Amino acid sequence: MPIGARRVLRGDRQALARLISQVENRDPSALPSVRALYPYSGRATVVGITGPLGVGKSSLVNLLLAHLRSDGKRIGIVAVDPSSPFSGGSILGDRIRLARPPGDDGVFIRSMAARGHAGGVALATRETVRLLDAFGMDVVLVETVGSGQADVEIHEVASTSVVVVVPHLGDEVQSLKAGLFEIADVFSVNKSDLPGADSAARYLSEMTQLVPVTGSWRPVVIQTSTVAPRGIPELWEAVTRHEAYLDSSGSRQTRDRQRLTDEILGLVREQVDAQLLRALEREPDLQALLDRVVAREIDPHSAAERLLGEVRRPR
Amino acid sequence: MPIGARRVLRGDRQALARLISQVENRDPSALPSVRALYPYSGRATVVGITGPLGVGKSSLVNLLLAHLRSDGKRIGIVAVDPSSPFSGGSILGDRIRLARPPGDDGVFIRSMAARGHAGGVALATRETVRLLDAFGMDVVLVETVGSGQADVEIHEVASTSVVVVVPHLGDEVQSLKAGLFEIADVFSVNKSDLPGADSAARYLSEMTQLVPVTGSWRPVVIQTSTVAPRGIPELWEAVTRHEAYLDSSGSRQTRDRQRLTDEILGLVREQVDAQLLRALEREPDLQALLDRVVAREIDPHSAAERLLGEVRRPR
């Protein structure tokens, strides 16, 4: 077993942090350790926390963390930062929103920048979750901003998805976030100290009756607040009920299998991409090919066929 | 030349609509026409209009449309709908926001659902823009909601990107949309009838001094309003100035080349994906492979390597 992997299994936080950085940068030197640690994963409960910006997801995650720690659970947190894919970080300053309680070795918090293409973040997030799992965390919370593509990813990483909303969402926001209805296993109506929380929770409960579900699980709606903490144990109870449902219904197996298929396909795509880029750099012919497309002598599909030939050619 | 392509060149709107639907569904039967029309494209000015939800992009596009039509220009509009990738449409009802002026043949409006993976939408949008271009449109406006990944796509499709904002954006929204700073060639501070428009415009102008630029173009900030229409000619004037800059600086060529490279890579990826999915369905061995990953006997990377072998194998 590679030394990095062995250190992670021994509880070496620095080795874990280093490995996660390599995974985030899609550095191939992480591969031996990532592979060696795979058999040690699969025990953690992976919970996604998503929802629009400004609904208080980070505060909720902080309270969940405290709740789970008081229960003796070891917690990993992955915060996927929706920063610019161009700059690799928000130009308006990084928001540091989550911090490990000083001296608490039962917590490991990591934020990941959503740089590169969407698929790359999904792969890096999956592998990071698995590393935290192999490190011995009982629960891994994955926090992300629900915005289009990212919603799907949380669904692909977590076994239970908590969607956080607030009592008053504009019509347009609701329309945008329609995808959130389909991934939610549990709704948290956060900031429930605000007026309208009851009717929002009622509205969501009604909505969950309209959304087609596979299986018999109906999303649970929990009112929470982080100002005067409220509903946190109930929220976690709903998560564990969903986890129990996954086991009793047999859908955990189906989902895990689907998730692994997606991941493996993602890894193949990543390989193919790397090969394509290498082929583009290496082959002067391919540059000439591109020139001909620019000149509109041949069309992009013909060029793609030629490139595909390059990928098929054994190295 | 395929009959569909010939009809599009003759100005047959129905043939165009049919072809776009096929392209949107990634239907391979569109391919001969798409390829045949490629040499007829490359003349339209392609302008992206993006920004957060609720800033009035659609109203702005409608006013731009009227302005350009009064100038005799033929206009294509592609509205990329940020609907759920699961349902293929918003479960809260489709918003019909753009409509062709009755009897006006100089306008073609098409909305595209952001279904499937992000890359698929980008390819479909690119090809649709090119079809409208070959159809003889002088300007193609591509409207999309700026949310993470979609921002990048507009940048990859349009030669000029207009980013629409409103005077009051919360801090968190600004942080999320940091990526918009990097893609904006022109800012529209819309709803400039609202208080704070002047200071928002000033703030944006200052921000544009901070963002690193390649080349010498500094994003232009224009105040617009769609309630009491204001700033529309100025907005278009800024777009044409940017277009002229692209030509005079030589960056149009560089950008077009980069965009075509991305597109061709996207097409190869699409092919590889289709092949992978076929391989997964066809090969009982691959299903057994997946079983072994689920059982943690082998790791996802090993499975990916095996699958990659399938892709490399000639059909």
Side-chain angles (χ1 to χ4, degrees):
Chain A
M1 178 176 290
I3 180 86
R6 203 154 41 203
R7 283 190 179 139
V8 168
L9 289 179
R10 271 195 218 128
D12 182 334
R13 300 174 67 91
Q14 261 156 5
L16 176 64
R18 202 174 311 123
L19 202 50
I20 293 177
S21 294
Q22 290 173 334
V23 158
E24 191 183 11
N25 296 325
R26 310 311 291 148
D27 177 349
S29 61
L31 216 54
S33 289
V34 166
R35 292 169 86 146
L37 289 170
Y38 179 67
Y40 296 89
S41 66
R43 286 171 298 195
T45 302
V46 185
V47 179
I49 316 274
T50 191
L53 267 173
V55 297
K57 286 183 297 299
S58 296
S59 308
L60 200 64
V61 166
N62 272 327
L63 287 179
L64 260 180
L65 172 63
H67 175 69
L68 293 167
R69 284 302 292 145
S70 75
D71 204 29
K73 291 201 161 54
R74 288 164 58 79
I75 311 294
I77 298 181
V78 183
V80 183
D81 186 5
S83 55
S84 159
F86 283 88
S87 63
S90 163
I91 55 160
L92 295 173
D94 288 316
R95 292 171 299 154
I96 296 161
R97 305 158 303 163
L98 292 164
R100 178 165 70 104
D104 186 349
D105 274 346
V107 180
F108 192 97
I109 297 173
R110 178 70 188 216
S111 73
M112 313 202 72
R115 59 183 157 226
H117 61 107
V121 184
L123 287 174
T125 304
R126 269 191 200 107
E127 288 179 359
T128 299
V129 166
R130 201 171 284 139
L131 291 175
L132 289 166
D133 185 345
F135 187 69
M137 294 315 190
D138 300 302
V139 176
V140 180
L141 304 174
V142 183
E143 182 200 340
T144 186
V145 168
S147 57
Q149 202 62 13
D151 305 342
V152 189
E153 286 166 15
I154 206 79
H155 185 70
E156 286 168 5
V157 171
S159 55
T160 297
S161 295
V162 176
V163 171
V164 187
V165 293
V166 285
H168 291 286
L169 290 174
D171 282 349
E172 292 205 292
V173 173
Q174 292 208 0
S175 167
L176 174 68
K177 305 301 174 198
L180 293 176
F181 271 99
E182 282 124 331
I183 62 160
D185 302 307
V186 177
F187 276 105
S188 152
V189 178
N190 202 27
K191 305 193 181 179
S192 65
D193 43 301
L194 294 179
D198 286 343
S199 62
R202 208 162 40 237
Y203 168 76
L204 273 177
S205 294
E206 284 161 14
M207 285 300 301
T208 63
Q209 306 295 317
L210 300 175
V211 178
V213 288
T214 49
S216 57
W217 179 263
R218 285 274 166 206
V220 175
V221 181
I222 308 284
Q223 291 193 38
T224 55
S225 174
T226 55
V227 185
R230 172 194 173 195
I232 308 300
E234 291 79 4
L235 181 63
W236 187 251
E237 205 268 322
V239 169
T240 51
R241 246 191 299 151
H242 181 255
E243 289 287 322
Y245 160 80
L246 287 177
D247 289 323
S248 64
S249 64
S251 46
R252 185 185 298 278
Q253 237 182 330
T254 324
R255 287 199 189 192
D256 279 355
R257 203 183 161 86
Q258 186 54 52
R259 230 171 256 137
L260 273 171
T261 308
D262 292 342
E263 177 173 355
I264 293 165
L265 289 179
L267 289 170
V268 177
R269 282 180 198 122
E270 192 175 51
Q271 283 288 320
V272 170
D273 265 26
Q275 251 174 283
L276 272 174
L277 293 177
R278 275 198 304 271
L280 268 181
E281 280 165 15
R282 198 178 48 216
E283 295 277 334
D285 285 4
L286 293 174
Q287 289 298 334
L289 187 71
L290 197 55
D291 287 335
R292 294 183 59 205
V293 182
V294 172
R296 283 184 157 72
E297 290 166 21
I298 61 166
D299 66 278
H301 286 273
S302 308
E305 271 165 25
R306 277 279 301 275
L307 260 181
L308 194 58
E310 288 295 316
V311 177
R312 283 225 195 83
R313 213 163 58 182
R315 273 175 295 194
Chain B
M1 179 176 290
I3 180 86
R6 204 153 40 202
R7 282 191 178 138
V8 168
L9 289 180
R10 271 196 219 126
D12 183 335
R13 301 176 66 91
Q14 262 156 4
L16 176 63
R18 202 175 311 123
L19 202 50
I20 292 177
S21 294
Q22 290 173 334
V23 159
E24 190 182 10
N25 296 325
R26 308 312 291 148
D27 177 349
S29 62
L31 216 53
S33 288
V34 166
R35 292 169 86 147
L37 289 170
Y38 179 68
Y40 296 89
S41 66
R43 285 170 300 193
T45 302
V46 185
V47 179
I49 315 274
T50 192
L53 267 171
V55 295
K57 285 183 298 298
S58 296
S59 310
L60 199 65
V61 166
N62 271 326
L63 288 179
L64 261 180
L65 172 63
H67 175 70
L68 293 167
R69 284 302 291 146
S70 75
D71 204 28
K73 291 202 160 54
R74 290 164 56 78
I75 312 294
I77 298 182
V78 184
V80 182
D81 187 3
S83 54
S84 159
F86 283 89
S87 63
S90 163
I91 56 162
L92 295 174
D94 287 317
R95 292 169 301 155
I96 297 162
R97 305 157 303 163
L98 291 165
R100 178 165 68 105
D104 186 349
D105 274 346
V107 180
F108 193 98
I109 297 174
R110 177 71 186 215
S111 71
M112 314 203 73
R115 60 182 157 228
H117 61 106
V121 184
L123 287 174
T125 304
R126 269 191 200 108
E127 288 179 0
T128 299
V129 166
R130 201 172 283 139
L131 290 174
L132 290 166
D133 185 346
F135 186 70
M137 295 315 191
D138 301 302
V139 176
V140 180
L141 304 174
V142 184
E143 182 201 340
T144 187
V145 168
S147 57
Q149 203 60 16
D151 305 341
V152 187
E153 286 165 16
I154 207 78
H155 184 71
E156 286 169 4
V157 171
S159 54
T160 297
S161 295
V162 176
V163 171
V164 188
V165 293
V166 285
H168 290 286
L169 292 173
D171 281 349
E172 291 205 293
V173 173
Q174 293 209 1
S175 168
L176 174 67
K177 305 301 176 197
L180 293 177
F181 271 98
E182 280 123 333
I183 63 161
D185 301 309
V186 178
F187 277 105
S188 152
V189 178
N190 202 27
K191 305 191 180 179
S192 65
D193 42 300
L194 295 179
D198 285 343
S199 62
R202 208 164 35 239
Y203 169 76
L204 274 177
S205 294
E206 285 162 12
M207 285 301 300
T208 63
Q209 306 296 318
L210 299 176
V211 177
V213 289
T214 49
S216 58
W217 180 263
R218 285 273 164 206
V220 175
V221 181
I222 307 285
Q223 292 193 39
T224 56
S225 174
T226 57
V227 185
R230 173 194 174 198
I232 309 300
E234 291 79 2
L235 181 62
W236 187 252
E237 204 268 323
V239 169
T240 52
R241 244 191 301 152
H242 181 255
E243 289 287 322
Y245 160 80
L246 289 177
D247 289 323
S248 64
S249 65
S251 45
R252 185 185 299 278
Q253 237 183 330
T254 324
R255 285 198 189 192
D256 279 355
R257 204 185 160 86
Q258 186 54 52
R259 232 171 252 136
L260 273 171
T261 308
D262 291 343
E263 177 172 357
I264 293 166
L265 290 179
L267 288 170
V268 178
R269 282 179 197 125
E270 192 175 52
Q271 283 289 319
V272 170
D273 265 26
Q275 250 174 284
L276 270 175
L277 293 176
R278 277 198 304 272
L280 268 182
E281 279 164 15
R282 198 178 51 216
E283 294 277 336
D285 285 3
L286 293 174
Q287 287 301 331
L289 187 72
L290 197 55
D291 288 335
R292 293 183 59 205
V293 182
V294 172
R296 285 186 156 68
E297 290 166 21
I298 61 166
D299 67 279
H301 285 274
S302 307
E305 270 166 25
R306 277 278 300 275
L307 260 180
L308 194 58
E310 288 295 314
V311 177
R312 284 225 194 85
R313 212 163 57 181
R315 271 175 298 194

